[in-house]
Amino acid sequence: MTDTFTTRTVDVTTGSAETMHDLTNACSAFLREVAHGRDGLLNVFTPHATSGLAVIETGAGSDNDLLAALREVLRADDRWQDRHGGAGPGRDHMLPALVPPHATLPVVGGELELGTSQSVVLVTTGRDTPDRKVRLSFLG
């Protein structure tokens, strides 16, 4: 039976470029404060139409490869119906269909249970919102 639910919002500055922002340390710090050695689930959610969350290896090139793949699949041209006044931005609204805006991850003994080299990252292609919010919620 669960006996705790704790949630917090983290502010992330992504700037005005396509980017991936590593949230792993923020997730771990949050769990150190609230999990107290318990098992449970960490839900990570971003309430933005042009951002998503991924669990991916970072630092070895996979992060750049993901952004390149998204540029290939979601080309910045005039094919998108949702243009918000110009060509291209509608593609950014397709991102959450490919990189979802949420992830639920296991917490074991109060620590995030990730595989070797895995990181939790915020992926954003939208360049119009340089500041993002990410909600961390622990259920345990």
Side-chain angles (χ1 to χ4, degrees):
M1 201 75 191
T2 61
D3 58 6
T4 186
F5 176 81
T6 307
T7 189
R8 176 173 303 149
T9 300
V10 176
D11 294 318
V12 178
T13 299
T14 57
S16 60
E18 296 177 337
T19 189
M20 293 177 61
H21 181 85
D22 195 332
L23 298 169
T24 310
N25 288 339
C27 292
S28 295
F30 172 68
L31 290 171
R32 277 192 299 278
E33 288 180 38
V34 302
H36 306 292
R38 291 188 304 265
D39 294 349
L41 295 172
L42 175 68
N43 183 264
V44 187
F45 174 74
T46 183
H48 298 280
T50 60
S51 291
L53 294 157
V55 177
I56 190 171
E57 179 182 21
T58 57
S62 297
D63 35 3
N64 291 330
D65 289 343
L66 177 57
L67 289 174
L70 290 170
R71 271 186 236 108
E72 183 69 26
V73 172
L74 300 173
R75 294 181 181 271
D77 57 25
D78 63 357
R79 73 181 75 192
W80 309 104
Q81 297 297 312
D82 181 7
R83 292 190 184 91
H84 285 296
R91 74 176 290 273
D92 299 326
H93 291 188
M94 297 302 296
L95 176 70
L98 301 175
V99 182
H102 56 86
T104 301
L105 306 165
V107 176
V108 178
E111 296 183 15
L112 194 54
E113 185 78 3
L114 292 174
T116 303
S117 303
Q118 285 184 320
S119 297
V120 181
V121 296
L122 175 69
V123 180
T124 183
T125 58
R127 294 171 292 269
D128 58 338
T129 306
D131 298 306
R132 307 288 173 144
K133 296 199 177 297
V134 176
R135 178 163 298 281
L136 306 177
S137 301
F138 174 69
L139 178 64

